[in-house]
Amino acid sequence: MDIEYAYQKERREFGRQCLFSDKNKVEFTEAANHEFFKEYILRDPVHLGTQYSRQMSLSAVNTESAEFENRGILHSEGGWPKDVNYLDPEQTVRYRRKIEKDENYVTQLTGLTKPMEHCIYQNNAVNIYENYFEGLDPAPLMEKSSSRTLNVYRDPAIYKQPVTHLSWSPDGGSKIAVSHCNMNFREASGKAVCSYIWETENPNAPLLRFTPHSSMICLEYNQKDPTTLVSGMYNGQVAAWDTRNEKAPVMISEREHSHRSPVNSTLWINSKSGTEFFSGSSDSQVMWWDTRKLSQPIDTLLMDPIKSDEQDLSRSYGVSCLEYETSIPTRFMCGTEQGMLFSCNRKGKSPQEKIVFRLQCHTGPIYSLTRNPAFVKNFLTIGDWIARIWSEDCRESSIIWTKHHSVMLTDGVWNPTRYSIFYVSRVDGVLDAWDLLQQQSEPILSIKVCDESLKCLRAHEAGYLVGAGSTKGATFLLEMSDNMTSIKNDKPLLTAMLERENRREKILEAKSREMKLKVRTLHRQEDTIDERPKLFQCKSACDAAEQEYLQTLEKERKARAPEEYDQEYDPRKIAKQMEMEAASDEEMNE
């Protein structure tokens, strides 16, 4: 297609200097008016450019026209000799090997590659305006996780005491209960520390101040009544509090019928009256209480690691934390100071029936024990330098665990809305957020909350707020980013992952039980068969495996060449051969 352009002036003539010449001709003249000189103001310097003519330019581009054709290709099997059946794979493979051994095969193959490359490059032309992925949903971009500190609630007392427990109010989480207690025996004895209820919007002064006669280790809201709380104290007593009367507890247990050591955890029970709760202490006892009558406990259970109908207090383990799920009203779990976990059923008639199973989870105390909000069979334990996720179906080992940290872990909690995320607090003041679906080797977010150690964590039911208490009496309210509160397909993806890990752990448990049974059977055979030579008696599993391997080789050797084996190892022939050799030696000596 040809296009014609009209050129008025060449581009090289643009911007030339105007050359004026004098002529003896006057076009216009006017006399000077000296009155205008008074209104003249001199501006110096002045930079002003004017242009009254049109700017014109031209650009020309000549492109080569491209022609496109669509052609089809029919590929059929051919080129085989008459004596080769191309439908038989053995004949075709044999013929290919024969051709590949030919000396001209490499040179001919090299010559064929050049036109083939030309055809490939011809087919690589891509239409950049074509939408190749119309039916696919766009993949969402992975938003970077973040957090920020909203408020800091500091202990108003002169001497700051560590935060030991946090509890959100059930009326939308507008208030948070904070208990303070120094667990050091020398500093805690004889000193009562106040605990507080803060409004989340007002970090300047606490809403309520509780002043007990003994420091509170835990302070828990009643999820059915926002005005009622229960607390476990350092001297072993439990008390019920009312927000309308902050000066003294409403009810308090009798000292002689209470725990003998500090009460580490108290939790409400899903009962009809809404007044029952239970407590766990370092004296190895779990007690059930009713706030309407705290003079004596309703029931008591010892954490005895040995299965027997008679429980012994001297061999029982101290309780460091409790766990209770309202959807399973008769079941609860206890974490001990020796790292063992007890899964219990309150409806059992005997102590042996009440303790369903025991798990050795950590080498030290279990600081935190929480079930997953959506998958109640899976629970999280925090102890020593590692966080583990367990399943009630697999009791040999945990199904998921984090790396060993360089510092001690103090507490952990699940995200109530996004079930694949859990938070872990550390001694160095760092809060780690772990996402099981995104990565398991490193946390997705590490927050340096403060310089001192973090003692406890508690997540808000909405999922975007997390409370963290430190050893210097400060409670930090953290807000998490939107991608950490909810995500599409979070629950089905986590379901598939937990099922896969459960299945893997069950396979490993079955393999371990099979090996233990095999070793046990070998040891029983050794004990029953005393006539066996000492050479074949196995003293360990390694000797048993070696002996089994040698016996297998011997059986295969007999199966392959039985006649040679009999000739070689026939004792009669061997004895006769030895006699002949001895006779020949005597003749030589004579």
Side-chain angles (χ1 to χ4, degrees):
M1 182 173 64
D2 298 334
I3 299 176
E4 296 182 358
Y5 295 93
Y7 296 93
Q8 297 180 0
K9 196 173 186 180
E10 294 183 359
R11 183 66 181 85
R12 60 185 179 180
E13 296 180 0
F14 289 177
R16 276 190 178 182
Q17 182 183 2
C18 296
L19 302 177
F20 300 97
S21 59
D22 295 334
K23 292 185 179 180
N24 296 327
K25 183 179 180 182
V26 178
E27 297 286 343
F28 175 77
T29 180
E30 185 178 358
N33 190 352
H34 295 283
E35 294 295 331
F36 291 156
F37 284 111
K38 297 178 181 180
E39 301 178 0
Y40 181 75
I41 300 174
L42 180 63
R43 288 174 57 187
D44 189 24
V46 177
H47 297 279
L48 184 63
T50 58
Q51 178 63 269
Y52 294 102
S53 61
R54 289 190 304 165
Q55 292 282 344
M56 291 182 293
S57 62
L58 174 67
S59 297
V61 177
N62 296 325
T63 59
E64 297 180 0
S65 59
E67 296 179 359
F68 296 93
E69 292 182 2
N70 294 327
R71 293 183 180 180
I73 299 176
L74 175 62
H75 179 75
S76 60
E77 192 81 14
W80 298 98
K82 295 181 180 180
D83 56 343
V84 176
N85 184 11
Y86 66 90
L87 299 177
D88 188 1
E90 294 184 1
Q91 293 186 16
T92 55
V93 169
R94 194 180 304 111
Y95 184 75
R96 284 196 189 97
R97 291 177 181 174
K98 179 181 176 181
I99 294 299
E100 289 174 0
K101 292 180 180 179
D102 193 359
E103 297 179 355
N104 300 326
Y105 173 75
V106 178
T107 56
Q108 292 177 359
L109 188 64
T110 306
L112 291 174
T113 54
K114 293 182 179 179
M116 181 59 68
E117 287 181 357
H118 175 73
C119 296
I120 292 173
Y121 290 146
Q122 289 276 338
N123 294 332
N124 279 342
V126 177
N127 185 5
I128 62 175
Y129 300 104
E130 183 179 354
N131 191 359
Y132 290 93
F133 309 100
E134 291 183 354
L136 298 179
D137 296 333
L141 297 176
M142 185 62 68
E143 183 181 354
K144 188 176 181 181
S145 303
S146 61
S147 69
R148 65 189 183 103
T149 303
L150 293 180
N151 289 322
V152 180
Y153 312 97
R154 301 189 183 277
D155 187 1
I158 299 175
Y159 301 101
K160 313 298 181 184
Q161 301 297 333
V163 178
T164 54
H165 191 264
L166 301 174
S167 178
W168 291 93
S169 63
D171 53 351
S174 60
K175 295 182 287 292
I176 183 171
V178 182
S179 61
H180 296 262
C181 181
N182 194 335
M183 299 299 291
N184 191 349
F185 177 75
R186 294 183 178 180
E187 298 182 10
S189 58
K191 295 181 181 180
V193 180
C194 297
S195 296
Y196 310 94
I197 292 181
W198 296 81
E199 286 183 327
T200 55
E201 300 296 334
N202 183 19
N204 299 322
L207 178 65
L208 294 175
R209 181 194 302 263
F210 296 129
T211 309
H213 64 277
S214 180
S215 301
M216 299 182 189
I217 298 179
C218 51
L219 183 63
E220 190 71 27
Y221 263 107
N222 188 344
Q223 298 301 315
K224 295 182 179 180
D225 186 5
T227 62
T228 308
L229 300 95
V230 291
S231 64
M233 299 184 180
Y234 185 81
N235 63 354
Q237 290 179 289
V238 294
W241 298 82
D242 196 323
T243 56
R244 294 163 290 188
N245 183 17
E246 58 178 316
K247 295 182 179 179
V250 179
M251 294 286 291
I252 190 168
S253 62
E254 297 292 338
R255 189 68 185 90
E256 56 271 15
H257 299 294
S258 301
H259 293 280
R260 304 177 184 179
S261 297
V263 180
N264 294 321
S265 180
T266 56
L267 291 176
W268 289 92
I269 298 175
N270 188 13
S271 60
K272 294 181 180 179
S273 61
T275 58
E276 295 183 9
F277 69 97
F278 68 114
S279 60
S281 171
S282 300
D283 64 350
S284 309
Q285 296 185 91
V286 176
M287 294 183 177
W288 283 264
W289 307 85
D290 194 329
T291 55
R292 296 172 293 185
K293 186 181 178 182
L294 288 179
S295 57
Q296 289 185 355
I298 302 173
D299 195 4
T300 304
L301 179 65
L302 295 178
M303 295 295 105
D304 192 348
I306 299 177
K307 292 183 179 180
S308 62
D309 292 334
E310 296 181 1
Q311 291 186 317
D312 189 359
L313 182 62
S314 61
R315 68 189 181 194
S316 300
Y317 291 165
V319 179
S320 59
C321 59
L322 295 174
E323 193 283 327
Y324 179 78
E325 176 61 36
T326 56
S327 60
I328 316 175
T330 60
R331 299 285 297 274
F332 67 95
M333 292 192 297
C334 300
T336 62
E337 297 175 347
Q338 284 74 21
M340 182 173 285
L341 180 141
F342 291 80
S343 179
C344 308
N345 185 3
R346 191 189 173 190
K347 295 301 180 181
K349 297 179 180 180
S350 63
Q352 189 173 1
E353 293 178 0
K354 288 183 178 180
I355 300 178
V356 181
F357 63 88
R358 302 162 177 83
L359 283 177
Q360 187 64 41
C361 298
H362 297 276
T363 56
I366 300 177
Y367 298 114
S368 177
L369 174 61
T370 54
R371 289 185 184 268
N372 190 286
F375 308 94
V376 293
K377 283 190 175 182
N378 301 99
F379 52 90
L380 170 70
T381 60
I382 303 293
D384 45 64
W385 296 271
I386 196 170
R388 296 181 181 272
I389 298 175
W390 303 78
S391 175
E392 290 184 352
D393 299 333
C394 303
R395 302 177 184 179
E396 296 271 337
S397 173
S398 57
I399 59 174
I400 302 173
W401 56 89
T402 64
K403 65 176 183 179
H404 285 266
H405 295 75
S406 58
V407 294
M408 295 281 289
L409 307 182
T410 57
D411 202 357
V413 65
W414 289 97
N415 190 318
T417 56
R418 186 173 174 188
Y419 312 120
S420 60
I421 290 181
F422 63 92
Y423 306 104
V424 176
S425 60
R426 306 189 333 197
V427 174
D428 56 354
V430 175
L431 175 67
D432 289 338
W434 292 80
D435 190 349
L436 299 177
L437 299 180
Q438 186 169 342
Q439 60 183 12
Q440 299 180 12
S441 58
E442 294 291 337
I444 60 171
L445 180 64
S446 293
I447 313 161
K448 181 67 175 177
V449 180
C450 56
D451 295 331
E452 61 268 17
S453 173
L454 292 177
K455 288 288 292 181
C456 57
L457 289 177
R458 200 64 179 267
H460 188 263
E461 60 182 3
Y464 64 94
L465 293 179
V466 177
S470 69
T471 55
K472 291 189 177 180
T475 303
F476 299 87
L477 185 62
L478 306 174
E479 183 184 15
M480 300 300 170
S481 56
D482 294 337
N483 65 324
M484 298 181 67
T485 57
S486 63
I487 191 174
K488 187 179 180 181
N489 298 330
D490 178 64
K491 191 172 181 178
L493 291 175
L494 184 61
T495 303
M497 179 181 180
L498 294 178
E499 288 179 355
R500 182 178 68 250
E501 295 299 327
N502 279 335
R503 188 162 54 251
R504 178 186 62 83
E505 192 60 34
K506 285 180 181 178
I507 293 172
L508 294 177
E509 286 183 7
K511 187 67 176 177
S512 177
R513 285 195 296 268
E514 183 182 350
M515 294 178 66
K516 289 179 181 178
L517 180 62
K518 196 172 184 179
V519 173
R520 197 181 300 115
T521 305
L522 288 173
H523 282 293
R524 288 178 182 174
Q525 292 176 359
E526 292 175 9
D527 296 337
T528 54
I529 303 174
D530 297 333
E531 299 84 16
R532 180 178 291 183
K534 295 183 179 180
L535 180 63
F536 297 98
Q537 291 183 357
C538 304
K539 298 181 180 180
S540 63
C542 296
D543 296 339
E546 184 179 359
Q547 186 64 28
E548 183 181 0
Y549 175 73
L550 294 176
Q551 291 177 0
T552 305
L553 290 179
E554 194 72 16
K555 290 179 181 179
E556 292 182 357
R557 185 177 179 182
K558 287 182 178 180
R560 291 179 180 177
E563 297 179 357
E564 296 179 2
Y565 183 88
D566 295 339
Q567 292 176 4
E568 186 177 354
Y569 294 97
D570 189 1
R572 297 178 182 177
K573 293 182 179 180
I574 294 174
K576 188 175 182 180
Q577 185 177 1
M578 291 176 64
E579 291 177 0
M580 293 175 63
E581 291 178 356
S584 61
D585 290 341
E586 290 178 359
E587 291 179 0
M588 291 290 292
N589 292 331
E590 291 176 358

